[in-house]
């Protein structure tokens, strides 16, 4: 940057726990105060330094330019190459870079479209003062998402789903026990011991015996859908199971596919509820999924069915039951949902914005909610 030109001049200083960024000079300057909210992103800082240096300068030359008061202003401090090398090596950086280094990167960036105040402050874990709470919530949300995918390596979908279901029961004040008497759990598979008129197996994944505050006991069986949660991307849904099977249709085709799949998977349960309702007495059934688009399609395929049994579709996102839909009874009414909010369509977008590296470049993406 040339002295006294009309390009932006950045000044960064630290006072107590605040970083004050000034853009411009004289009367035409704007100040923004930043505070720490995240752990600095070492990979992101390295990438920003590479873009700031550009392809025409060595790191030593860049450090020299960053230390030039004629180019960068009178309050410029000397920047030593080892400081920059530390960033390049992604050494342990637990706190934001010093104010003079942030200032130097902004004032000497070769790529000013990438090395912006917003990108550099965020990489240092800094947010505008007043946005700390929102930033902290987002940080926790992203961390939950990462932990969820780490857990995929150690726990099965069924184990995670059961944990979430049990947590939901307890949050509603129910006591939860493993189902006994009518059902047995053999080698990880639920088997019904009691007979029914047409010898129709329910093929449930998990059955619990719950007891409400009044002492009433109910068996509750669950079928867990294997469809993946909404996938990472720019807010877009990817039906992983459909892709794996070579399906690339439009939404209408996907809806028909899912509806057929839901009925096919759970046809025995629905048939038994209609033909032998006595055998379903005191037995609740829920079809559980972790993808809101799949949930909507599943509900659409079942919403016209009437049964005297408590049968519902449940959506789990971020390890919580966020929606439930109960099938109508013979009076055409929906029984009160016992675990989630009644929704015929779940239209709540639970994505959050973040930056990830794609093909070597940082891209803005929407991180979807995890499932169970």
């Amino acid at each position: 940057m040339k002295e006294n030109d009309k390009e932006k001049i950045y000044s960064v200083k630290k006072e107590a726990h605040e970083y004050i960024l000034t853009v411009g000079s004289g009367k035409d300057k704007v100040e923004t105060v930043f505070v720490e909210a995240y752990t600095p992103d070492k990979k992101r800082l390295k990438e920003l330094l590479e873009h700031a240096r550009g392809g025409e300068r060595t790191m030593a030359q860049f450090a020299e330019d960053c230390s030039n008061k004629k180019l960068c202003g009178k309050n410029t401090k000397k920047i030593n190459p080892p400081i920059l090398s530390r960033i390049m090596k992604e050494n342990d950086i637990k706190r934001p870079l010093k104010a003079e280094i942030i200032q130097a990167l902004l004032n000497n960036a070769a790529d000013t479209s990438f090395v912006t105040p917003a990108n550099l402050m965020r990489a240092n874990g800094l947010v505008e003062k007043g946005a700390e709470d929102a930033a902290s919530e987002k940080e926790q949300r992203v961390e939950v998402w990462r932990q969820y995918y780490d857990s995929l390596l150690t726990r099965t979908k069924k184990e995670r789903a059961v944990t979430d279901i049990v947590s939901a029961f307890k949050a509603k004040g129910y006591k939860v026990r493993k189902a006994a008497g009518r059902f047995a759990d053999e080698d990880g598979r639920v088997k019904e011991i009691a007979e029914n008129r047409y010898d129709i197996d329910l093929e449930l994944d998990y059955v619990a015996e719950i007891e409400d505050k009044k002492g009433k006991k109910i068996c509750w069986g669950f079928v867990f859908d294997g469809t993946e949660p909404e996938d990472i991307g720019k807010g877009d849904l990817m039906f992983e199971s459909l892709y794996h099977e070579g399906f690339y249709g439009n939404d209408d085709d996907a809806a028909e596919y899912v509806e057929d799949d839901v009925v096919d998977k759970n046809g025995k349960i629905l048939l038994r509820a209609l033909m032998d309702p006595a055998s379903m007495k005191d037995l609740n059934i829920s079809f559980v999924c972790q993808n809101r688009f799949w949930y909507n399609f599943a509900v659409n395929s079942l919403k016209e069915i009437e049964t005297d049994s408590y049968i519902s579709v449940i959506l789990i996102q971020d390890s919580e039951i966020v929606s439930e839909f109960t099938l109508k009874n013979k009076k055409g009414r929906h029984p009160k949902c016992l675990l989630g909010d009644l929704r015929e369509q779940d239209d709540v977008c639970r994505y959050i914005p973040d930056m990830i590296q794609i093909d070597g470049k940082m891209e803005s993406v929407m991180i979807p909610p995890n499932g169970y």
Side-chain angles (χ1 to χ4, degrees):
M1 178 181 295
K2 295 180 180 180
E3 188 177 18
N4 298 324
D5 68 10
K6 293 184 179 179
E7 294 183 43
K8 290 181 179 178
I9 299 175
Y10 297 98
S11 173
V12 181
K13 61 180 179 179
K14 183 181 179 184
E15 294 183 356
H17 299 291
E18 298 179 346
Y19 291 74
I20 303 172
L21 169 69
T22 303
V23 183
S25 60
K27 295 181 179 180
D28 300 322
K29 65 180 181 180
V30 178
E31 286 190 353
T32 307
V33 180
F34 292 83
V35 293
E36 293 182 53
Y38 306 101
T39 301
D41 187 334
K42 294 180 289 186
K43 292 185 180 296
R44 181 73 161 161
L45 286 172
K46 176 184 176 181
E47 186 177 19
L48 284 160
L49 176 54
E50 291 173 335
H51 280 261
R53 183 190 67 179
E56 304 296 325
R57 293 178 288 190
T58 65
M59 196 59 71
Q61 290 171 333
F62 180 63
E64 184 178 349
D65 287 345
C66 288
S67 305
N68 193 323
K69 293 187 178 183
K70 290 184 178 180
L71 294 176
C72 306
K74 295 180 180 180
N75 68 338
T76 298
K77 295 183 180 180
K78 182 175 178 59
I79 305 297
N80 294 315
I83 296 175
L84 302 180
S85 296
R86 182 168 173 264
I87 301 172
M88 290 299 295
K89 292 179 181 178
E90 297 182 36
N91 284 359
D92 195 20
I93 301 174
K94 297 181 179 179
R95 299 293 302 279
L97 300 177
K98 291 183 178 180
E100 56 264 30
I101 299 176
I102 298 175
Q103 175 180 302
L105 294 179
L106 290 172
N107 282 325
N108 291 276
D111 183 357
T112 55
S113 64
F114 188 80
V115 186
T116 64
N119 285 346
L120 190 53
M121 291 302 191
R122 173 62 183 87
N124 275 286
L126 302 171
V127 298
E128 287 190 37
K129 187 175 181 179
E132 305 98 308
D133 292 341
S136 177
E137 181 180 344
K138 178 175 177 286
E139 179 89 336
Q140 293 172 9
R141 174 73 172 75
V142 173
E143 183 59 27
V144 168
W145 180 81
R146 288 174 180 150
Q147 290 176 1
Y148 165 74
Y149 280 96
D150 288 343
S151 75
L152 295 180
L153 301 176
T154 58
R155 302 174 67 214
T156 66
K157 285 191 179 103
K158 177 181 175 180
E159 290 172 330
R160 297 194 304 272
V162 169
T163 297
D164 297 338
I165 291 293
V166 171
S167 295
F169 275 136
K170 291 181 178 179
K172 294 288 186 179
Y174 294 106
K175 294 179 181 179
V176 187
R177 303 180 183 86
K178 180 178 283 189
R182 181 171 176 174
F183 293 91
D185 193 348
E186 298 181 353
D187 299 324
R189 301 186 66 180
V190 176
K191 181 179 180 181
E192 187 175 14
I193 299 173
E195 296 181 356
N196 62 85
R197 286 179 61 188
Y198 301 98
D199 196 25
I200 300 175
D201 294 329
L202 294 177
E203 298 182 0
L204 303 171
D205 292 317
Y206 170 66
V207 179
E209 182 182 79
I210 63 169
E211 182 179 327
D212 63 19
K213 296 177 181 179
K214 296 181 179 180
K216 182 181 179 181
K217 296 179 181 179
I218 300 175
C219 275
W220 201 317
F222 297 88
V223 178
F224 301 125
D225 186 85
T227 307
E228 296 301 318
E230 293 155 56
D231 197 1
I232 191 166
K234 295 186 178 180
D236 297 328
L237 163 78
M238 293 205 296
F239 287 126
E240 289 292 334
S241 65
L242 300 189
Y243 286 160
H244 292 163
E245 296 175 22
F247 180 86
Y248 291 92
N250 57 33
D251 285 349
D252 291 337
D253 294 333
E256 183 176 349
Y257 181 98
V258 174
E259 289 168 11
D260 290 344
D261 191 48
V262 170
V263 173
D264 181 59
K265 279 183 179 178
N266 306 294
K268 289 184 178 181
I269 296 174
L270 298 171
L271 181 63
R272 182 163 148 186
L274 295 174
M275 294 181 61
D276 190 8
S279 70
M280 304 285 283
K281 185 178 181 182
D282 295 327
L283 174 63
N284 293 358
I285 299 289
S286 289
F287 309 135
V288 185
C289 61
Q290 53 184 343
N291 181 307
R292 69 186 173 102
F293 295 90
W294 196 274
Y295 170 87
N296 291 338
F297 291 147
V299 168
N300 189 62
S301 69
L302 302 173
K303 65 181 181 181
E304 299 304 325
I305 296 177
E306 295 183 354
T307 173
D308 283 334
S309 301
Y310 184 103
I311 299 180
S312 72
V313 182
I314 284 176
L315 173 63
I316 294 179
Q317 292 198 321
D318 292 331
S319 301
E320 293 185 0
I321 295 177
V322 294
S323 293
E324 185 178 13
F325 178 83
T326 49
L327 273 61
K328 294 177 183 177
N329 57 28
K330 294 295 178 130
K331 296 180 179 179
R333 299 173 183 171
H334 297 282
K336 180 182 178 181
C337 293
L338 300 180
L339 284 177
D341 295 331
L342 177 65
R343 286 197 180 100
E344 184 172 325
Q345 288 286 304
D346 187 299
D347 296 321
V348 181
C349 180
R350 300 177 183 89
Y351 291 78
I352 62 167
D354 197 25
M355 302 289 291
I356 65 170
Q357 192 166 4
I358 301 176
D359 297 329
K361 296 182 179 180
M362 295 304 295
E363 298 282 349
S364 175
V365 299
M366 299 297 289
I367 292 184
N370 61 48
Y372 40 73

